[in-house]
Amino acid sequence: MVLPYSDELHIEYLSRLFDNTSECYKFFWFKAILEKVIAGTNEISFEELVDDMIANAWYMVTEYCLNLGPKDTLEDVVKLIQKKNPSFKSSIKKSDLLAYLSETKDKEIISKKRTLILNVPYRLQAPFMPGIKGKAWDVPKDNLVENINNHSHIMYYFLGLNGLSSRIIVRDDWANYFVKNQEIIRGWLEYNMILYLQRRNPNVPGIADKLYPPQERKLDDVKKYWKLILTVSPEPVKEIYGENILTSKDISIDHFVPWSYVAHDEMWNLNPTTKSINSSKSNNLPDWNTYFKRLAMLEYQSYRMMREYDVVHKEFEKCAKKHFNDDRLRYRIYESDIEYERFERELEAVVLPVYKSAQNCGFGEWRYN
């Protein structure tokens, strides 16, 4: 991805910002700077940037369970805050999390925040200073800052060192470039983050959808499909977790393997339950031995309704256009006139590998009480 050209700036230095990146810190540090500058702030403290790094990583770690890097301090501090504050949900407002971070007196959290500023504020600008190599980086920070500030092409200068209270000032020409080209630069940053995170999470699907909290997802068509099944089925339709009889007034569409792992709304992973149970399950994995067979039986019940009733078949076809992105899977599972035993085997062959992969990524197991 090519960054916009500038007659005044060395864009080739900026384009190499994430070369040979082995840790996530550069991405989150630069993202924090970019957001501050776009918001109109050029002079920023280390602590403000670190707090933004933590807030930007929060949902990735707490909801998506992404691995940010080997022995990653940013990931560790997110998990530490979550452990110390069990009331903090993955969906906590960024402003509330930033307020907590700015006010906390917790020594363990502050210590980890200090760890985040050991290298990245200086090393980020290495492409702008090709003359600083090897042991030249391993000098006292005061000497290093003086050396960096003497370079004319850097992105930002240091205004003195005082731990988390240290400050930087982004040069006006770079700030103007960021504001003018913000959409392209955001896209370039996200592209590089996706490449990095995919390397760190090779078995995780939908990395591109996991950089930010999800937008509202609408499953009204799937809900309409299941409500129709409730009306035509000759026998009660029970959800799989509490085995409650479903009604059209209390129906919610659940992702068997959590959306926060799969990042899609494929039909084979969706099943109806009640609103309260869906909320209770949250982004956990339902116990396989308890619930998969129930899932298969419920899906087969809907399959039989779809084969038997034209009105249900029409609604299924409407859903299939949006919720089956792989036609091979669609015809593999919903092939005409297959017996339950084969249907269950085919569904298991699709769902179980995804389930196991989510399990390996740290998604907890859940059973309905």
Side-chain angles (χ1 to χ4, degrees):
M1 188 171 184
V2 179
L3 291 168
Y5 175 75
S6 171
D7 289 325
E8 303 171 347
L9 301 169
H10 287 268
I11 305 304
E12 70 274 15
Y13 295 156
L14 180 65
S15 67
R16 299 207 311 269
L17 213 61
F18 306 120
D19 287 359
N20 304 315
T21 301
S22 59
E23 300 285 353
C24 73
Y25 309 129
K26 289 182 180 179
F27 298 107
F28 287 93
W29 181 263
F30 178 73
K31 177 178 172 63
I33 291 174
L34 184 65
E35 289 176 348
K36 293 291 186 185
V37 168
I38 291 172
T41 303
N42 285 32
E43 186 176 325
I44 321 158
S45 73
F46 279 17
E47 186 159 28
E48 289 176 285
L49 294 173
V50 166
D51 289 353
D52 264 20
M53 290 171 68
I54 296 169
N56 286 330
W58 177 264
Y59 204 88
M60 292 185 190
V61 174
T62 61
E63 181 74 9
Y64 298 138
C65 301
L66 291 182
N67 171 17
L68 299 187
K71 299 179 180 179
D72 188 272
T73 300
L74 184 57
E75 183 178 334
D76 286 347
V77 72
V78 168
K79 291 179 177 178
L80 178 64
I81 294 167
Q82 187 181 39
K83 180 180 178 181
K84 289 176 177 283
N85 301 273
S87 64
F88 286 10
K89 306 301 182 185
S90 59
S91 57
I92 185 175
K93 291 182 180 179
K94 183 177 180 180
S95 58
D96 292 340
L97 185 56
L98 289 173
Y100 166 81
L101 289 167
S102 67
E103 297 167 4
T104 185
K105 304 299 181 185
D106 187 292
K107 293 182 179 179
E108 196 175 1
I109 293 173
I110 293 171
S111 175
K112 287 195 176 291
K113 286 170 69 170
R114 288 179 178 142
T115 300
L116 290 171
I117 63 169
L118 290 177
N119 293 302
V120 68
Y122 320 100
R123 294 273 187 171
L124 180 78
Q125 298 197 93
F128 295 81
M129 303 167 292
I132 302 181
K133 298 179 179 178
K135 293 184 178 180
W137 288 99
D138 301 327
V139 298
K141 287 297 190 287
D142 286 336
N143 295 343
L144 180 60
V145 163
E146 182 179 1
N147 192 356
I148 293 174
N149 282 351
N150 284 330
H151 284 73
S152 58
H153 301 303
I154 56 177
M155 187 191 312
Y156 55 82
Y157 295 103
F158 297 89
L159 300 179
L161 293 180
N162 184 22
L164 288 166
S165 297
S166 304
R167 304 185 73 79
I168 65 169
I169 183 165
V170 181
R171 285 175 37 182
D172 287 341
D173 47 4
W174 277 110
N176 292 335
Y177 178 84
F178 292 157
V179 172
K180 179 181 177 181
N181 301 290
Q182 56 185 277
E183 295 303 326
I184 296 175
I185 296 170
R186 279 199 186 103
W188 169 76
L189 170 62
E190 290 170 2
Y191 172 75
N192 281 280
M193 287 184 75
I194 290 167
L195 294 180
Y196 171 83
L197 290 169
Q198 194 66 75
R199 290 196 301 272
R200 290 292 174 204
N201 303 268
N203 297 317
V204 176
I207 290 292
D209 294 315
K210 296 179 177 178
L211 299 185
Y212 305 99
Q215 300 296 316
E216 182 182 5
R217 302 189 307 278
K218 294 185 180 297
L219 296 172
D220 292 344
D221 51 348
V222 180
K223 186 181 291 187
K224 182 180 178 183
Y225 169 70
W226 277 103
K227 283 183 176 181
L228 179 60
I229 289 174
L230 299 185
T231 65
V232 301
S233 177
E235 57 191 40
V237 178
K238 296 181 179 180
E239 51 83 29
I240 67 175
Y241 302 120
E243 297 187 299
N244 300 296
I245 295 175
L246 289 167
T247 69
S248 60
K249 292 183 178 180
D250 186 18
I251 186 171
S252 179
I253 303 303
D254 165 64
H255 293 72
F256 187 79
V257 179
W259 186 94
S260 51
Y261 178 75
V262 297
H264 64 56
D265 298 319
E266 293 292 288
M267 199 80 169
W268 52 264
N269 192 48
L270 301 176
N271 70 97
T273 188
T274 67
K275 296 172 184 176
S276 61
I277 292 177
N278 204 356
S279 177
S280 174
K281 177 175 173 280
S282 187
N283 68 331
N284 294 301
L285 287 165
D287 179 74
W288 181 269
N289 293 330
T290 304
Y291 299 116
F292 174 73
K293 188 170 286 291
R294 295 184 193 175
L295 174 71
M297 293 177 69
L298 178 61
E299 291 291 341
Y300 191 72
Q301 183 179 1
S302 75
Y303 163 79
R304 297 308 308 169
M305 294 296 99
M306 183 264 290
R307 303 302 308 175
E308 186 173 347
Y309 296 95
D310 287 341
V311 64
V312 179
H313 190 271
K314 289 179 181 178
E315 284 302 318
F316 174 83
E317 289 297 329
K318 290 179 183 177
C319 289
K321 291 178 181 178
K322 183 177 178 181
H323 299 287
F324 273 107
N325 289 306
D326 187 337
D327 283 339
R328 291 174 301 174
L329 286 182
R330 174 184 170 184
Y331 292 113
R332 175 179 169 184
I333 301 173
Y334 292 92
E335 183 181 342
S336 61
D337 298 325
I338 63 174
E339 298 301 318
Y340 171 75
E341 289 74 14
R342 182 183 169 192
F343 182 92
E344 181 185 352
R345 288 197 306 271
E346 295 290 358
L347 186 63
E348 182 177 12
V350 174
V351 179
L352 184 58
V354 182
Y355 182 99
K356 289 290 187 183
S357 184
Q359 197 174 45
N360 291 337
C361 287
F363 283 81
E365 291 188 10
W366 171 89
R367 294 185 68 176
Y368 177 66
N369 295 323

